[in-house]
């Protein structure tokens, strides 16, 4: 660790407050250029601890920056991992108040729900598929707390990988009944197609992102419990939204999921 305990707590409190108040901030590596990866995940852990002590429940995990489209859009080279809590969940067809967010963008993702515990190291696509129950369409709403959505990898990890809202729905299918590499997706905003792609855009296979998450948790002495939702990462570039926008994600063989910004 490059940062002391007091600084980690103070940075976690600051980023958590920015999320709750929908206020942006400068990226934290500007003031702390020597911050380490462990520091970044320790800050994220402290935000989670604050949420749990405030009564929130873990709703799942997310992998991010898992497609070339996303890495290119954000100018980074490696995936990152974050948590989802129940307060981020929005029902399929539900509404999100734009005033509660800073500069939201939507991402088309494939969600996995596990049926048995997964533990790394050594977790592979095969182990993920064997341990998965269902896969389903998911829209992730990201809202970086950093000014103009500009960050480096450590800063975005500390900021819980821009997590802010998520919607899962549509028609869940058995994870082993589909070839997720060739599963097509269409993202629509106000009835117009704004992005399209296929599952292979995420690390060659979306289950590879879940395996990376499990191996990441393993390095930190944690496992992925049975029954956990994992969002495997945006298949395409993220798309900015504003009040009045209706967003629908259609996933081949899995129906659609929608959300409205008001
Ligand atoms: C970081 C989070 C990226 C994804 O699916 O790629 C992410 C960001 O771009 O703000 O959730
Ligand atoms: Mg995402």
């Amino acid at each position: 660790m490059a940062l002391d305990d007091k600084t980690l707590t103070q940075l976690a409190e600051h980023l958590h407050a920015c999320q709750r108040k929908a206020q942006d901030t400068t990226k934290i590596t500007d003031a702390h250029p020597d911050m380490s990866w462990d520091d970044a995940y320790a800050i994220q852990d402290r935000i989670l601890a604050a949420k749990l002590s405030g009564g929130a429940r873990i709703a799942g995990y997310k992998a991010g920056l898992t497609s070339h489209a996303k890495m290119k859009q954000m100018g980074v080279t490696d995936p990152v991992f974050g948590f989802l809590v129940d307060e981020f969940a929005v029902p399929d067809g539900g509404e999100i108040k734009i005033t509660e967010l800073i500069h939201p963008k939507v991402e088309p993702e494939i969600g996995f729900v596990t049926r048995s515990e997964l533990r790394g190291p050594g977790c592979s696509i095969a182990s993920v598929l064997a341990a998965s129950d269902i896969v389903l369409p998911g829209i992730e709403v990201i809202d970086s707390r950093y000014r103009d959505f500009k960050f480096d990898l450590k800063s975005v990890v500390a900021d819980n990988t821009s997590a802010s809202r998520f919607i899962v729905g549509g028609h869940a299918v058995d994870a082993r009944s589909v070839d997720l590499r060739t599963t097509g997706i269409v993202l629509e905003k106000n009835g117009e197609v704004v992005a399209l792609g296929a599952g292979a855009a995420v690390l060659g296979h979306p289950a590879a992102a879940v395996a990376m998450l499990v191996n990441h948790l393993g390095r930190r002495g944690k496992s992925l419990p049975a029954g956990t939702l994992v969002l495997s990462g945006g298949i395409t570039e993220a798309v900015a939204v504003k009040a009045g926008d209706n967003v629908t994600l259609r996933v081949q063989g899995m129906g659609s999921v929608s959300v409205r910004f008001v």
Side-chain angles (χ1 to χ4, degrees), residues 140-229:
E140 188 187 17
V141 182
I142 52 169
D143 192 35
S144 176
R145 267 55 70 171
Y146 300 121
R147 202 147 298 149
D148 303 322
F149 244 99
K150 293 221 165 65
F151 49 70
D152 49 47
L153 280 173
K154 287 172 190 164
S155 293
V156 75
V157 163
D159 183 33
N160 191 27
T161 67
S162 313
S164 76
R165 298 284 186 278
F166 69 94
I167 308 97
V168 288
H171 164 60
V173 300
D174 184 321
R176 283 169 300 275
S177 70
V178 277
D179 181 352
L180 289 172
R181 294 168 303 178
T182 54
T183 298
I185 70 98
V186 178
L187 184 68
E188 295 172 3
K189 188 166 87 171
N190 305 324
E192 269 179 43
V193 175
V194 287
L196 37 86
V202 169
L203 298 171
H205 192 304
V210 182
M212 275 187 93
L213 164 71
V214 171
N215 291 326
H216 159 80
L217 291 173
R219 278 193 294 280
R220 313 188 75 231
K222 295 181 196 166
S223 67
L224 190 73
T228 305
L229 168 70

Side-chain angles (χ1 to χ4, degrees), residues 9-262:
T9 300
Q10 185 214 317
L11 290 169
E13 280 169 3
H14 174 61
L15 286 169
H16 193 192
C18 287
Q19 183 247 309
R20 289 197 318 267
K21 296 182 198 155
Q23 274 170 9
D24 68 4
T25 184
T26 50
K27 72 176 176 0
I28 59 180
T29 46
D30 290 353
H32 301 281
D34 50 348
M35 179 166 91
S36 70
W37 282 101
D38 284 344
D39 292 329
Y41 279 105
I43 293 167
Q44 188 191 111
D45 284 348
R46 280 166 209 229
I47 297 173
L48 174 59
K51 292 221 177 273
L52 297 179
S53 66
R57 306 268 171 129
I58 291 198
Y61 289 90
K62 58 168 284 191
L65 306 173
T66 50
S67 66
H68 289 296
K70 279 287 315 182
M71 289 188 214
K72 191 164 159 236
Q73 182 177 32
M74 305 321 299
V76 299
T77 50
D78 292 287
V80 291
F81 308 100
F83 65 81
L84 302 170
V85 279
D86 51 1
E87 67 186 55
F88 297 168
V90 176
D92 189 359
E95 281 181 356
I96 295 175
K97 288 197 186 69
I98 220 96
T99 50
E100 292 176 0
L101 303 174
I102 305 163
H103 42 202
K105 295 183 187 179
V106 291
E107 301 181 313
E109 306 205 11
I110 304 281
F112 287 72
V113 181
T114 56
R115 73 157 149 239
S116 47
E117 187 190 25
L118 275 164
R119 201 177 269 281
C123 182
S124 64
I125 293 176
S127 3
V128 170
L129 291 176
S132 291
D133 191 359
I134 53 160
V135 287
L136 78 179
I139 297 172
E140 188 187 17
V141 182
I142 52 169
D143 192 35
S144 176
R145 267 55 70 171
Y146 300 121
R147 202 147 298 149
D148 303 322
F149 244 99
K150 293 221 165 65
F151 49 70
D152 49 47
L153 280 173
K154 287 172 190 164
S155 293
V156 75
V157 163
D159 183 33
N160 191 27
T161 67
S162 313
S164 76
R165 298 284 186 278
F166 69 94
I167 308 97
V168 288
H171 164 60
V173 300
D174 184 321
R176 283 169 300 275
S177 70
V178 277
D179 181 352
L180 289 172
R181 294 168 303 178
T182 54
T183 298
I185 70 98
V186 178
L187 184 68
E188 295 172 3
K189 188 166 87 171
N190 305 324
E192 269 179 43
V193 175
V194 287
L196 37 86
V202 169
L203 298 171
H205 192 304
V210 182
M212 275 187 93
L213 164 71
V214 171
N215 291 326
H216 159 80
L217 291 173
R219 278 193 294 280
R220 313 188 75 231
K222 295 181 196 166
S223 67
L224 190 73
T228 305
L229 168 70
V230 179
L231 291 180
S232 55
I235 292 170
T236 69
E237 276 192 8
V239 175
V241 287
K242 55 181 185 350
D245 285 343
N246 283 289
V247 174
T248 297
L249 169 65
R250 300 182 194 282
V251 179
Q252 188 179 8
M254 301 181 208
S256 63
V257 59
S258 300
V259 65
R260 206 148 47 92
F261 291 85
V262 294

